[in-house]
Amino acid sequence: MARQTQDHEIVTDSATAAAPRESRAWLWSPGLGVVVLAVIGLVPLTGDQSALSLWTFIVMYCVLAQGWNLIGGFAGRAAFGNVAFFGIGAYTVALLLERNQSYWLGLVLAPVIAGLFAFLLGLPVLRLRGHYFGIATLGVAEALGQVVQSKNVGAPSGEISLTPPSLNFQVSNALFFYGFLALSLVTLLGTTWLTRSRFGYALVAIRENEQAAEALGIATYWYKVGAFVLSALPTAVAGGLFAYWQLSFDPVGEGGAFDVTISVAMILMTVLGGAGTILGPILGAIIIEYLDQYTSTAFTTIHGPLLGALIVLVTIFLPQGLVRLVQELMRAPVGVKQSYPMRVRQGVQRVTRFLASNGI
Amino acid sequence: MSHASSHPTASSAQGQALGQAQPPLLELEHVTKRFGGLPAVEDLSFSVRQGEVLGMIGPNGAGKSTAISLIGGALAPTAGTVRFQGRDITGLAPHRRAQLGIARTFQITQPFAQLDIRENVIVGALFAGHERSRAAAAQRADAVLERVGLARKARLKGEELTVADRKRLEMARALAIHPQLLLLDEVMAGLTLREVGEAVELIREINQSGVTVLVVEHVMRAITGVSDRILVLHHGRKIAEDAPDVVLSDPRVIEAYLGERYARQRAAEQARGARESERGTPELPTPVDTWKEGQA
Amino acid sequence: MAQYVVNWILLGCFYAAIGLGFSLIWGIMNIVNLAQGSLVILGAYVAYWSYSILHLNPFLGILTAMVVLFCVGYTIQYLAINRVIRAPILVTFMMTFGLALLISNLLQAFFTGGYKAINTPYSSAGITLLGARIPLLNVAVAAIAVMLTALLSFFLSRTRVGNAILAVGMDRDAARLMGVSLARTYALTFGIGAALAGAAGGMLAMTLQFSPIFTGQYTLFAFVIVALGGLGTPWAALAGGLLFALAEVFGPLIPGVGFGLDTAIAFAVLVLVLILRPNGLLGRPFYA
């Protein structure tokens, strides 16, 4: 009897007597992710421009959350400054466009530069213990923003304003929507492949118990650096797309390329959806960004505190994320047949106990 | 079951004879570990022969777990050298040592909580076990789980296991590496009498398949039943290293465990000639006996 | 030159006040309180109102801020943070961040982002010594900050309640077995940390301008100060504050750096120190 597993688990085996088969249970999370993205892909067909803009942002955040998931969810290291890679991507593209270079060059160069930066940054910073690593990355993101602003990178105060370059095809908003969507899909597939590989196993082992992982032959430090670099890549490409799409942006402040709120948003989205799962970041991004946009128009004044309250509630009641919550509720006990209501009831008990164990 | 090893296999019985002809598998030379000003291990030198089972005992705080961590690589010595297969590994990181064939278990079990048992073991096989593909690693994992008796529970998650099963998982993960040297850190703590017996059997069987074992234990009966030699640590220093019966009647060892007063009592009893030997296996009758889990 | 030194020392003591509460909460509960900056600004507002509405002496305003913030902090810990205290650090990180967002956005919503400050007739009083202008208000503030550090240190090591807090910080389960109530001790600790933030806020209101925009910056400052000085003792916050102020005052003098790079300088120094001395300057593994 196959059971629901966390989708990062590579193998689930079935019956007892025969040699264990590989079950297909791991497929449902990435599969559902693809379906969700496909459904979102229908949005441009409605012709509604404001909806298109909203969903473009949503899909962009999907990519950001998926990127963070690699270092924060799978490797278990809470990096707080991934927006730095986003900003690097945005400014790489912006600077190249200002010098009339090819746009495609920018999209290729952005992840390369960001990846290199992540590697060089990761080397010292990943040696730091938990809190320090998080804040060090946060500080780097803030510092980068400040440097760009005060050194007038690309424009006075770093406030970029680009003229759209001429291309031989029609540039439309839908184009960027599909650009982000494709990026998200590629990241999804890439992450899925990764989790089923040796690398993925190493990351999960490191997350669960780093000391044991080391004792079993895993070079934990290098895998962490690797995860950090990987998390930078889709984030940087998203930044590059963002630069081209918006054409004008600031380094700091709300909605800026190095805005720390973006960093926190991607973490919140991943955590809400389910860190370390494939579907989680996508789900979380949709929920949070939609809520954010909705409340900022409907409840402009309290939209900020509302987000804050939401974060507080999520950390108390949903720290493991929605996807894992569902998995936990649906979990079939080993070797015993149980009806769904019974399973859910026991799942609720398990979850309540887990939440209580987080407190005093 | 197959056992890949680059060294010739040697059963425990032949262990000592062969071992004396070959260079030792593991050597510690004047190893010292200080935490701040406090020496946990001081000037420790010993060697483990190929194919033997070396037991390490000592009162709490003697430095046994520190020694294991020093060998496994989790701690770096303040002074001294650690040699494995003749090669200096003092500066080597733990994961490199695991890849060379040194496997360890943890005194406080460290399972990968969210993964199921099978996957816990697969991790070991995939990395230090040098398996290339997940499928091959899974096969080896199944074999190992069968060996330690966890095959039926393969789908349980790490965090759902009983104490005894957690200890077995520790051993299974270590075995998945196909190690040359297996370091067991108090695997019997918290086990019932019967479980201890099973663990002893398992260790014997592992040793007979060619793995050199270094066992740290408190459970006297178990360690005397399985060791070729015993090493005694006290306050971080080695105070005895010999065959079990010799070590356990060594007055310094008795004094270390039970204090001076008791040592004097024993000496007085011995002088009166009041001594009995119960089983065939060489075990100290009185003081150390009362240590064990009170059985006839 | 003397001016820079004066600025450095006065700023350093003020920064110590910013870092004190943060250091206590982190050292005892292993919580990086991302809401610290917003608590400081909240304290500044309380002090501001006690001056403008209640017409209290601004120094009393500091006291008022401390009392109010203590209650706020105690409640926050008891109701919210206590529920996630055994969770992985990411969860507590997010929790305090959510609180920070909540508080600072509420402040912004109700009072807009306008800059405020307490201006008294004696606000610009100062003496000139050796060519350096020494603002007396800042001296008073610095003195208060040092006094608070000493008080905290005394409280922790010499009083029974303080000892309980230390015990919980060293080994919470052992402390529990000794009869210490974890929930209340944690709440007390956070309350004190918040009160110290309130004091810093009051000092801020007197000497500089404040606005909800600065909440994030002060949190980051607090972090750098504590990470620089280390967690071992309240005096480490003073050391960290002085070191941070050193970088802030003298950093822009380095050719090529210029002004406007406060945060960047701070973090450059921070990362450097962390790499060389992971426990901070005065850091010890436990808090005492």
Side-chain angles (χ1 to χ4, degrees), chain A residues 1 3 5-6 8-16 20-22 196-199 201-202 204-220 222-223 324 328 331 333-335 350, chain B residues 69 74 93-96 98-99 102-104 106 109-116 118-120 122-124 126-135 138 142 152 154-157 159-160 173-174 177:
Chain A
M1 158 171 69
R3 64 179 175 92
T5 63
Q6 287 131 4
H8 68 265
E9 291 179 348
I10 300 8
V11 166
T12 57
D13 51 49
S14 51
T16 49
R21 287 184 284 111
E22 298 275 336
R196 289 185 65 75
S197 73
R198 217 159 162 265
F199 190 91
Y201 255 127
V204 170
I206 292 171
R207 183 189 74 205
E208 290 296 318
N209 195 317
E210 190 167 346
Q211 208 189 14
E214 266 202 312
L216 289 177
I218 298 176
T220 54
W222 294 107
Y223 280 101
R324 278 200 217 278
E328 217 31 56
R331 189 139 73 104
V334 173
R350 257 197 307 265
Chain B
S69 289
H95 69 268
R96 291 281 299 125
Q99 287 164 2
I102 302 179
R104 69 164 295 183
F106 289 90
T109 57
Q110 313 264 18
F112 297 126
Q114 293 287 319
L115 299 184
D116 62 39
R118 192 159 177 259
E119 290 176 347
N120 265 271
I122 286 179
V123 172
L126 261 186
F127 291 96
H130 303 297
E131 287 288 3
R132 282 288 124 195
S133 78
R134 206 185 66 245
D142 290 327
R152 280 181 312 120
R155 284 173 298 144
L156 285 181
K157 293 213 185 176
E159 57 191 1
E160 294 174 329
R173 266 193 336 200
I177 301 182

Side-chain angles (χ1 to χ4, degrees), chain A residues 68 78 80 124 128-132 134-135 138-139 142-143 146-147 150-151 264 267-268 271 301 304-305 307-309 311-312 315-316 319 355 357-360, chain C residues 26 30 32 82-87 89-91 93-95 97-99 101-102 105-106 109 176 182-183 186 220 223 256-257 260-264 267 274-275:
Chain A
W68 187 83
F80 260 66
L128 303 174
R129 297 171 325 183
H131 288 312
Y132 292 111
I135 299 265
L138 180 64
E142 285 260 330
Q146 245 193 10
V147 166
S150 81
K151 295 299 175 198
V264 179
I267 298 178
L268 176 67
V271 170
T301 41
L307 190 63
I311 297 178
V312 171
T315 54
I316 296 182
L355 290 180
S357 76
N358 269 356
I360 300 213
Chain C
W26 187 351
N30 202 29
V32 175
N82 267 355
R83 289 178 193 259
V84 297
I85 201 140
R86 283 191 199 259
I89 57 168
L90 177 63
V91 179
F93 242 34
M94 296 236 63
M95 158 70 82
F97 185 84
L99 290 168
L101 216 55
L102 190 58
N105 275 299
L106 275 176
R176 207 179 193 176
L182 274 189
Y186 279 148
L220 291 177
F223 179 86
V257 173
L261 278 184
D262 298 356
T263 331
F267 279 100
L274 281 182
I275 292 177

Side-chain angles (χ1 to χ4, degrees), chain C residues 16-73:
Chain C
I18 305 256
L20 261 185
F22 193 79
S23 142
L24 181 70
I25 294 174
W26 187 351
I28 301 292
M29 298 192 285
N30 202 29
I31 290 179
V32 175
N33 182 21
L34 295 178
Q36 191 77 9
S38 54
L39 291 174
V40 168
I41 301 292
L42 180 62
Y45 271 103
V46 171
Y48 178 78
W49 293 320
S50 77
Y51 176 73
S52 60
I53 298 181
L54 300 177
H55 301 293
L56 286 180
N57 185 310
F59 289 98
L60 276 187
I62 294 182
L63 206 57
T64 326
M66 286 181 75
V67 170
V68 171
L69 266 287
F70 176 81
C71 300
V72 170

Side-chain angles (χ1 to χ4, degrees), chain B residues 54 137 206-207:
Chain B
L54 179 67
I206 292 172
N207 178 245

Side-chain angles (χ1 to χ4, degrees), chain A residues 2-359:
Chain A
R3 64 179 175 92
Q4 306 282 29
T5 63
Q6 287 131 4
D7 55 358
H8 68 265
E9 291 179 348
I10 300 8
V11 166
T12 57
D13 51 49
S14 51
T16 49
R21 287 184 284 111
E22 298 275 336
S23 86
R24 297 266 179 250
W26 63 271
L27 269 176
W28 79 268
S29 185
L32 211 57
V34 172
V35 167
V36 166
L37 287 180
V39 167
I40 294 179
L42 300 173
V43 165
L45 300 179
T46 64
D48 182 349
Q49 281 303 312
S50 66
L52 184 62
S53 169
L54 166 68
W55 283 94
T56 312
F57 268 110
I58 291 182
V59 181
M60 182 180 87
Y61 273 104
C62 281
V63 176
L64 296 181
Q66 285 173 298
W68 187 83
N69 197 19
L70 284 169
I71 178 73
F74 285 106
R77 289 287 169 271
F80 260 66
N82 269 27
V83 71
F85 309 129
F86 182 77
I88 290 178
Y91 274 90
T92 307
V93 163
L95 290 178
L96 285 177
L97 278 182
E98 282 180 353
R99 287 153 184 69
N100 292 315
Q101 297 291 326
S102 152
Y103 176 64
W104 304 110
L105 182 65
L107 274 187
V108 164
L109 216 54
V112 169
I113 295 184
L116 195 63
F117 182 76
F119 182 74
L120 295 173
L121 177 65
L123 285 182
V125 144
L126 278 165
R127 292 193 195 275
L128 303 174
R129 297 171 325 183
H131 288 312
Y132 292 111
F133 169 68
I135 299 265
T137 52
L138 180 64
V140 166
E142 285 260 330
L144 260 186
Q146 245 193 10
V147 166
V148 164
Q149 182 181 46
S150 81
K151 295 299 175 198
N152 303 318
V153 171
S157 292
E159 288 160 14
I160 301 278
S161 196
L162 302 165
T163 50
S166 54
L167 288 178
N168 34 5
F169 53 87
Q170 176 69 23
V171 173
S172 71
N173 280 328
L175 187 70
F176 292 107
F177 173 81
Y178 283 116
F180 280 118
L181 197 64
L183 188 58
S184 179
L185 191 63
V186 167
T187 314
L188 184 149
L189 295 174
T191 315
T192 311
W193 176 80
L194 193 77
T195 57
R196 289 185 65 75
S197 73
R198 217 159 162 265
F199 190 91
Y201 255 127
L203 288 188
V204 170
I206 292 171
R207 183 189 74 205
E208 290 296 318
N209 195 317
E210 190 167 346
Q211 208 189 14
E214 266 202 312
L216 289 177
I218 298 176
T220 54
Y221 178 62
W222 294 107
Y223 280 101
K224 285 191 287 190
V225 172
F228 196 47
V229 169
L230 284 179
S231 77
L233 303 179
T235 316
V237 178
L241 271 176
F242 169 81
Y244 192 18
W245 179 38
Q246 295 289 313
L247 288 176
S248 88
F249 53 90
D250 300 338
V252 293
E254 189 157 337
F258 290 102
D259 182 16
V260 154
T261 335
I262 297 182
S263 243
V264 179
M266 50 173 118
I267 298 178
L268 176 67
M269 292 167 181
T270 313
V271 170
L272 173 65
T277 66
I278 308 264
L279 177 62
I282 297 178
L283 212 59
I286 295 174
I287 296 176
I288 300 271
E289 187 58 19
Y290 192 87
L291 270 182
D292 193 50
Q293 296 274 6
Y294 178 69
T295 53
S296 72
T297 46
F299 309 108
T300 328
T301 41
I302 62 168
H303 137 256
L306 214 60
L307 190 63
L310 178 67
I311 297 178
V312 171
L313 291 174
V314 166
T315 54
I316 296 182
F317 296 110
L318 260 184
Q320 76 276 43
L322 287 170
V323 173
R324 278 200 217 278
L325 181 68
V326 170
Q327 284 173 341
E328 217 31 56
L329 291 179
M330 304 278 290
R331 189 139 73 104
V334 173
V336 174
K337 263 204 181 306
Q338 236 182 15
S339 65
Y340 273 95
M342 257 308 266
R343 278 198 222 173
V344 173
R345 205 164 348 135
Q346 290 207 338
V348 170
Q349 278 178 350
R350 257 197 307 265
V351 170
T352 334
R353 252 181 297 146
F354 165 73
L355 290 180
S357 76
N358 269 356

